[in-house]
Amino acid sequence: MTILEDKPGTHAGNDIFEHLESEVRSYSRGWPTVFETASGSWLRSEDGKDYLDFFAGAGALNYGHNNPILKSALVDYIMKDGVTHGLDMMTTAKRDLLETFERVILQPRGLDYKVQFPGPTGTNTVEAALKLARKVTGRESIINFTNAFHGMTLGALSVTGNSMKRAGAGVPLVHATPMPFDNYFNGVTEDFQWFSRVLDDSGSGLNRPAAVIVETVQGEGGVNVARAEWLRALADLCSEREILLIVDDVQMGCGRTGKFFSFEEAGITPDIVTLSKSIGGYGLPMALTLFKRELDVWGPGEHNGTFRGNSPSFITATEALKHYWTNDELERGTLRKGERIHQTFMNLSDMFEGVSTRGRGLVQGLVFEDPSDAQKVCALAFEKGLLAETSGPSDQVVKLLPPLTITDDELEYGLNILAEATAKVRS
């Protein structure tokens, strides 16, 4: 008997999670096992079972778990007593990241963005973007879109669509107006017809907005993909009416849809871009807010955060950029693997009524008319050793976010599990 088990009132083993951790926990409920190690596209539980990861830390692990290239650079930095916590001080780690980001990412794409280090999470960079847009324009209102997800702090939550998440705020969420995302009316209503009309109508009651914030692919919203022409029309509308365009690339950036930025395919240049999740490379917390040079109107310390200088993330981010983004090998692999998933999901859609698919690159969704089917498929997949989550307003979509570095054999293995689970649920 262990010491913990001997002491009255203590909880050992798995009981500690239910006893002490908040009821707010979610992923652990769908995946009821205790994970111990992880490598590449796999996690292993403490009882020795392996799980193929089609979740990738909700998109924070584009380069896989414990990527050896990034890990080596991180360990070297730590062993040399490199600065860990630097606020916004100048450090060698930050300098290397900024120089690499400009040389590898910004300059080849003709982007003249300034780089801000907000707090280290996705919602932090969204908050910074919203504050900056309001400061630049002097306006309060933000336009967001149906089924959007931008974070859980109050500003980011105000531009999020999910009613359950919004209800958790406990206060009114104001100064934001939702508009229909691409294909919200299944092509029946002309895109932007209402939006452009109310912007120009002095009797509409719509305050002229400071900015529009949009995801090119709504991950949490159900893998809703905006067409390139829709994004171009949105960018034109914002430009013509002097409204700032914010692209939230927290989950879809860093190569998830193929190119480094998800908006590149549409050929647009947003005024502000938010990055987090995989920009840190290794799963370490980090976020960037990018904006056009003329928008840099911040005063020193006007927006800050204690952990905006997370140097270990700078090290792994720099190494990821150098290794994966100096050529197009990763991008081509992402598009090819995404097409393989799409083919499998199309076959399942053809086989089973009430099943469809949508996605871009390595964010792909299998959509079920009956939301309970999606949840059953994910549960069966977990039993067979595969991690996949659901998304969408009714959790009706099986959403795949595998590491971009997943091998072809691993991908086939996981797709076979999903195909078998779907067949079993729909049989």
Side-chain angles (χ1 to χ4, degrees):
M1 183 174 289
T2 67
I3 294 175
L4 276 177
E5 289 171 334
D6 281 333
K7 290 183 178 180
T10 62
H11 294 253
N14 297 353
D15 289 345
I16 191 65
F17 300 109
E18 184 171 351
H19 165 67
L20 198 58
E21 190 178 3
S22 167
E23 294 299 317
V24 77
R25 66 191 187 279
S26 59
Y27 291 117
S28 58
R29 299 178 189 274
W31 302 329
T33 192
V34 179
F35 297 103
E36 186 172 29
T37 60
S39 179
S41 301
W42 296 87
L43 292 97
R44 176 169 290 180
S45 64
E46 64 178 357
D47 60 5
K49 183 173 180 178
D50 290 325
Y51 293 84
L52 182 60
D53 189 1
F54 273 15
F55 174 65
L61 295 164
N62 281 4
Y63 313 108
H65 294 270
N66 287 303
N67 184 296
I69 297 164
L70 311 187
K71 179 166 62 176
S72 177
L74 177 60
V75 170
D76 287 347
Y77 183 76
I78 293 172
M79 294 305 295
K80 293 175 182 176
D81 287 335
V83 174
T84 296
H85 180 265
L87 292 164
D88 69 356
M89 296 183 293
M90 293 181 288
T91 64
T92 55
K94 182 192 283 188
R95 181 176 61 198
D96 290 347
L97 171 60
L98 288 170
E99 289 176 348
T100 302
F101 190 72
E102 182 175 42
R103 174 175 55 84
V104 175
I105 301 300
L106 297 182
Q107 288 181 346
R109 292 162 178 80
L111 298 173
D112 187 24
Y113 286 142
K114 295 292 288 291
V115 178
Q116 178 181 352
F117 295 90
T121 72
T123 199
N124 293 143
T125 181
V126 168
E127 293 284 354
L130 299 179
K131 285 173 65 175
L132 181 61
R134 287 168 170 146
K135 181 177 175 63
V136 168
T137 64
R139 308 177 207 137
E140 296 178 351
S141 177
I142 304 291
I143 300 297
N144 61 301
F145 290 96
T146 50
N147 291 313
F149 179 78
H150 296 289
M152 297 296 283
T153 50
L154 289 182
L157 201 55
S158 72
V159 291
T160 288
N162 186 284
S163 60
M164 181 272 289
K165 293 181 171 63
R166 289 175 63 88
V171 296
L173 298 169
V174 297
H175 306 307
T177 303
M179 295 288 174
F181 191 71
D182 190 17
N183 205 38
Y184 186 72
F185 294 109
N186 297 316
V188 174
T189 302
E190 183 182 353
D191 293 315
F192 304 124
Q193 183 179 16
W194 187 75
F195 186 15
S196 59
R197 177 69 181 272
V198 296
L199 281 173
D200 298 332
D201 183 358
S202 60
S204 70
L206 179 72
N207 293 329
R208 181 164 292 275
V212 172
I213 185 167
V214 67
E215 304 155 276
T216 65
V217 181
Q218 295 180 327
E220 298 302 311
V223 194
N224 304 311
V225 182
R227 294 167 296 142
E229 54 267 33
W230 186 87
L231 290 168
R232 286 192 290 270
L234 177 62
D236 289 343
L237 183 149
C238 289
S239 177
E240 291 166 2
R241 290 164 175 79
E242 298 183 337
I243 301 168
L244 297 180
L245 176 61
I246 305 169
V247 168
D248 182 345
D249 241 0
V250 167
Q251 188 170 80
M252 297 305 153
C254 303
R256 175 55 56 183
T257 64
K259 296 183 182 298
F260 185 84
F261 295 110
S262 70
F263 57 81
E264 290 184 60
E265 180 189 30
I268 63 174
T269 303
D271 298 292
I272 305 175
V273 181
T274 63
L275 291 174
S276 186
K277 291 190 182 283
S278 279
I279 189 60
Y282 198 71
L284 296 172
M286 176 177 159
L288 302 178
T289 310
L290 313 178
F291 40 83
K292 291 180 177 178
R293 189 167 294 271
E294 63 270 21
L295 302 181
D296 193 9
V297 298
W298 290 119
E302 193 172 6
H303 183 89
N304 57 32
T306 303
F307 292 99
R308 64 193 184 277
N310 186 13
S311 297
S313 297
F314 298 166
I315 295 298
T316 52
T318 301
E319 198 65 24
L321 295 176
K322 289 178 178 178
H323 187 79
Y324 291 105
W325 292 102
T326 52
N327 59 53
D328 65 352
E329 183 178 349
L330 184 70
E331 176 186 337
R332 288 187 288 106
T334 295
L335 295 175
R336 177 177 54 79
K337 294 168 191 175
E339 182 58 29
R340 181 67 192 94
I341 299 174
H342 178 70
Q343 291 172 357
T344 297
F345 281 4
M346 281 297 296
N347 291 339
L348 292 172
S349 300
D350 292 339
M351 291 170 61
F352 301 106
E353 188 176 352
V355 179
S356 59
T357 185
R358 53 185 181 242
R360 269 183 64 195
L362 278 176
V363 51
Q364 297 286 336
L366 190 62
V367 187
F368 292 84
E369 285 187 3
D370 183 348
S372 66
D373 285 349
Q375 296 158 39
K376 291 173 185 175
V377 167
C378 284
L380 285 174
F382 175 76
E383 292 177 8
K384 296 295 184 181
L386 179 72
L387 303 183
E389 69 167 337
T390 58
S391 72
S394 302
D395 285 323
Q396 75 274 30
V397 181
V398 176
K399 183 176 76 170
L400 301 195
L401 292 172
L404 309 186
T405 53
I406 193 170
T407 67
D408 291 343
D409 288 343
E410 290 169 338
L411 189 62
E412 289 298 325
Y413 179 80
L415 290 176
N416 287 336
I417 290 176
L418 282 174
E420 292 173 3
T422 301
K424 186 172 183 178
V425 168
R426 295 306 308 274
S427 62

